[in-house]
Amino acid sequence: MIMSEEKFSEFETLMLRSGSDIATSIFLILAWISASDGSIDEDEINAISEIAQEAEYSGDINALVKLAKKRDIVAIQLASEILKAQLKEKKEIALFLLMCIRIAVADGRLLASENHILKFLADLLELTKMEFEHLFKEATGRRIPHPQDLSDADYWKAHDNARHGYRAENKSNRSSKYSRYYAILGLEDGAAKEDIKMAYRRLAQVHHPDRFASLGKEAMAASTKNFQKIKEAYEYLMKHA
Amino acid sequence: MRNLYSKLGINVSASRAEIERAISSCPNASVREHAKEILLVEHRRIEYDRLNSLLMFIGQLRAGLGISHAENWDEKIADQYTRFHPLGSQRRRFYEKVNMLNNQIRQQHAKAREYANSQEQPEHGCLGNIIVIGVIVAVMFIYNENKKNDYTAPVTSWTSENGASTREADVDIYQGSSQRALDEGAAVRIPPKPIFNHPPQATPPNGEVYWYVRGAAEAPFEIRTEGSSDYYVKLKDANSKRDILGIFIRGGERVEIEVPLGNYSLTYASGNVWYGLEHYFGPDGSYNKANTVLSFDKIPINNGYQFRGHTIQLYRVRGGNLSTSTIPADAF
């Protein structure tokens, strides 16, 4: 009954159905980051789904993940344009990037691909180099590294030696809970309890949901999820480390 | 990070044999050395390809969004991966489609109502009414579904950040209080309802000039742009403030025109949806003025004159040649 001259794309349809162009755009970008190292596993999809659930987002996360895997440039550019148009306040921008950074370093490493995407987002949202580096340090406790240069033979010689047959595609090598939790706090495996405490205090401050209370339910949901993970990591390590 | 394929002059999907051939005929020893170590080793090539194609993808995205020159895009990488044929604005197209859909729905709703009101014959009334009610219900259902997503002109602010001048480094970005009241009831934040209801118009072609005052056009004026937003540049006489001309430039393109001699103040609007010469890019557009007067004049040389003009760049650049500030849309 309804005729449009131009059909809506899959991504556009997802936005319309979910009732929020900005939320759909955010989740597409998060999925893109997760998928940027070549695969996206259940843990990563769950992480995004959890945030979506708390935010009462009704859109289809799995469909977004598919689009992210396909790396649909039209969808990602549209999502970027929408983010740029609607994320105007520094606080909102900070929260969004915090979410992206946490998702990127969830496995304990920052890959070159994730590094470049985060920087793209920083430029999209008009952060200066200093602001972005500051934000990254706050989010992870570490300075942002230079992205690895995969076109450099020296990188590969070092990389292959260090890994000894560890397959770079296997993301869940950090199967031990310990390793994961240390990674969440931005620490090396086996860090001292003092360090764990300090890391927790710093991160809890940065990610405390109250800080983002004025930005709406969706933002609260995202920051709450982040905060819970950090708290969980801290409690576990203090008990068992 | 280098794009070894372009350094070797081959396609990213080149076969091993093609790569070997390209390597042996490559004059650059460094490229040869690295390509051999990476492109000829299966597991390395796979990962390299993934990052290489991501960087090409990002280069394309950045071009489409007007951030090919930006602080966080390393220059060396930008050199390798900057793209020059960006996609146009996707957002404009999307909201235009939504507008059309909303208009169609409103029309059908109106038609159904009209039809219902014109019902006069009770004998056919029963069936007729059922059909009419069915139509109204169906149309209203769809109308309400889409009303939630009314993107007629999504607006978060009337004026936005200005274009070409430098930003101050504000390291603690948690400063500043929220000035936007948010809809507490919404589970997911939806942009505030717009008041601007004018229909978008067809985007003018690149270089379309609107003359307010005709005069002998002699001095060169070049405008370069980047990114996907379109621009409308206006020249006003610096003294009388009269509008002299306006030029429409499509995002990423450039124009070269001749303008009459004189001193002008320049204002420019940019945005993604064009509403014509009365509303420009609407509340979603950005409106700016140049802080200096542009003079177009001529100087005598040999047997005639040389006309002197300007070239300006309307994309974000540090230390660019044009200092600007934002202005409210009605001052444009």
Side-chain angles (χ1 to χ4, degrees):
Chain A
M1 178 173 230
I2 304 298
M3 292 166 300
S4 317
E5 271 147 49
E6 244 189 278
K7 287 223 165 83
F8 287 105
S9 72
E10 198 186 329
F11 178 61
E12 290 168 335
T13 308
L14 286 169
M15 282 197 285
L16 290 174
R17 286 222 183 97
S18 71
S20 174
D21 48 358
I22 177 100
T24 311
S25 300
I26 288 175
F27 291 121
L28 180 66
I29 299 294
L30 294 181
W32 178 36
I33 294 174
S34 298
S36 68
D37 59 358
S39 68
I40 181 165
D41 63 29
E42 277 223 42
D43 281 342
E44 294 175 305
I45 300 180
N46 286 338
I48 299 175
S49 300
E50 277 173 4
I51 300 177
Q53 245 173 15
E54 289 245 0
E56 291 168 40
Y57 174 72
S58 61
D60 186 348
I61 294 291
N62 287 313
L64 284 173
V65 166
K66 275 208 198 102
L67 279 175
K69 275 193 194 161
K70 266 196 310 185
R71 221 161 64 184
D72 179 341
I73 191 166
V74 173
I76 291 180
Q77 183 172 317
L78 177 52
S80 304
E81 288 182 44
I82 288 170
L83 284 172
K84 186 187 173 63
Q86 299 199 25
L87 293 181
K88 291 291 195 185
E89 291 176 40
K90 294 267 189 165
K91 255 190 177 176
E92 292 180 304
I93 292 173
L95 177 60
F96 170 66
L97 277 170
L98 272 177
M99 265 201 291
C100 293
I101 293 171
R102 300 292 310 172
I103 294 236
V105 304
D107 57 358
R109 332 167 276 182
L110 184 72
L111 298 172
S113 56
E114 295 159 337
N115 197 318
H116 289 295
I117 294 177
L118 290 175
K119 288 184 172 151
F120 158 73
L121 294 171
D123 284 332
L124 176 73
L125 299 167
E126 296 179 34
L127 257 54
T128 64
K129 193 152 184 251
M130 214 165 28
E131 285 172 331
F132 175 62
E133 284 172 3
H134 178 80
L135 187 61
F136 186 89
K137 181 132 195 260
E138 272 206 318
T140 62
R142 299 222 172 128
R143 315 202 68 158
I144 187 163
H146 285 297
Q148 300 98 333
D149 183 347
L150 268 59
S151 69
D152 187 347
D154 291 336
Y155 160 80
W156 284 106
K157 292 196 185 115
H159 171 99
D160 288 346
N161 284 338
R163 301 293 176 163
H164 288 301
Y166 161 67
R167 299 185 61 73
E169 292 95 86
N170 177 12
K171 286 193 286 197
S172 340
N173 80 314
R174 288 195 165 247
S175 48
S176 122
K177 252 193 164 157
Y178 276 121
S179 295
R180 271 230 197 89
Y181 285 140
Y182 280 114
I184 287 173
L185 296 177
L187 298 165
E188 297 287 344
D189 276 24
K193 285 216 166 145
E194 268 313 301
D195 294 333
I196 297 176
K197 259 200 212 136
M198 271 198 339
Y200 170 68
R201 277 207 203 108
R202 191 182 20 85
L203 288 173
Q205 204 185 37
V206 172
H207 293 278
H208 201 282
D210 286 350
R211 227 174 167 179
F212 305 99
S214 60
L215 298 180
K217 255 199 197 175
E218 177 192 40
M220 283 292 281
S223 59
T224 304
K225 272 290 147 206
N226 276 342
F227 184 71
Q228 270 168 8
K229 287 222 174 87
I230 292 166
K231 195 148 176 267
E232 188 187 307
Y234 168 68
E235 283 166 356
Y236 186 90
L237 287 176
M238 286 310 278
K239 230 195 253 172
H240 302 272
Chain B
M1 171 75 183
R2 292 185 289 181
N3 187 338
L4 295 171
Y5 295 101
S6 53
K7 297 262 177 209
L8 289 170
I10 52 177
N11 216 303
V12 294
S13 53
S15 68
R16 195 190 169 81
E18 289 170 314
I19 296 175
E20 283 170 341
R21 247 179 282 141
I23 289 176
S24 46
S25 57
C26 176
N28 185 326
S30 160
V31 170
R32 278 204 307 271
E33 180 204 325
H34 292 284
K36 249 185 250 169
E37 290 287 336
I38 295 162
L39 299 183
L40 296 179
V41 178
E42 191 63 27
H43 79 273
R44 293 178 179 181
R45 186 185 177 186
I46 291 176
E47 274 199 51
Y48 171 80
D49 282 357
R50 191 178 304 132
L51 182 58
N52 189 51
S53 75
L54 174 70
L55 284 169
M56 294 198 296
F57 183 77
I58 288 180
Q60 182 80 14
L61 273 179
R62 281 175 174 275
L65 295 157
I67 47 175
S68 292
H69 307 274
E71 283 201 44
N72 293 290
W73 186 223
D74 179 82
E75 268 186 37
K76 295 205 205 88
I77 299 200
D79 275 341
Q80 297 272 310
Y81 294 98
T82 291
R83 286 272 176 281
F84 299 103
H85 300 287
L87 293 179
S89 167
Q90 299 304 309
R91 202 166 143 255
R92 165 180 67 200
R93 247 180 255 148
F94 172 54
Y95 291 129
E96 278 173 359
K97 282 192 273 187
V98 176
N99 258 336
M100 281 199 300
L101 179 63
N102 280 335
N103 289 335
Q104 282 170 9
I105 290 169
R106 285 197 199 105
Q107 275 171 25
Q108 297 197 335
H109 187 213
K111 268 195 216 151
R113 219 185 356 215
E114 224 182 86
Y115 180 72
N117 291 338
S118 76
Q119 279 297 292
E120 278 174 36
Q121 301 177 6
E123 304 96 71
H124 306 288
C126 204
L127 186 59
N129 282 343
I130 290 171
I131 293 172
V132 163
I133 288 167
V135 164
I136 293 176
V137 165
V139 169
M140 279 186 61
F141 173 74
I142 296 165
Y143 179 76
N144 282 327
E145 279 277 290
N146 283 285
K147 205 173 175 202
K148 280 192 288 187
N149 317 312
D150 190 347
Y151 298 95
T152 323
V155 168
T156 52
S157 60
W158 177 264
T159 57
S160 46
E161 294 295 307
N162 72 338
S165 46
T166 57
R167 278 173 111 245
E168 57 186 67
D170 183 17
V171 177
D172 181 356
I173 64 177
Y174 297 115
Q175 273 174 2
S177 54
S178 168
Q179 286 182 330
R180 275 223 313 263
L182 289 163
D183 184 1
E184 288 301 322
V188 189
R189 196 165 48 80
I190 294 170
K193 288 291 182 213
I195 311 162
F196 184 77
N197 263 323
H198 299 272
Q201 299 193 2
T203 307
N206 184 49
E208 181 95 320
V209 182
Y210 302 88
W211 290 98
Y212 297 94
V213 170
R214 267 286 182 185
E218 296 161 315
F221 186 32
E222 185 188 350
I223 305 171
R224 292 190 192 156
T225 68
E226 225 185 66
S228 52
S229 294
D230 298 326
Y231 290 87
Y232 181 71
V233 174
K234 249 214 256 189
L235 290 181
K236 293 189 214 218
D237 185 287
N239 297 321
S240 69
K241 304 285 183 253
R242 280 173 78 193
D243 290 343
I244 304 296
L245 63 86
I247 315 151
F248 194 91
I249 307 137
R250 291 221 175 174
E253 307 206 25
R254 68 183 188 91
V255 297
E256 273 184 55
I257 60 167
E258 265 111 38
V259 304
L261 303 185
N263 300 315
Y264 302 111
S265 55
L266 179 145
T267 53
Y268 68 93
S270 76
N272 295 310
V273 186
W274 179 244
Y275 296 94
L277 290 177
E278 219 188 299
H279 302 288
Y280 310 106
F281 296 102
D284 219 8
S286 122
Y287 300 90
N288 306 273
K289 70 172 169 62
N291 292 327
T292 52
V293 163
L294 293 179
S295 293
F296 293 82
D297 58 18
K298 64 184 182 193
I299 51 169
I301 53 159
N302 300 333
N303 297 322
Y305 290 99
Q306 182 182 60
F307 294 97
R308 300 193 299 181
H310 293 271
T311 299
I312 62 172
Q313 293 152 321
L314 295 179
Y315 51 82
R316 224 160 254 113
V317 125
R318 283 189 154 244
N321 69 341
L322 195 68
S323 154
T324 64
S325 10
T326 20
I327 54 175
D330 43 24
F332 181 66

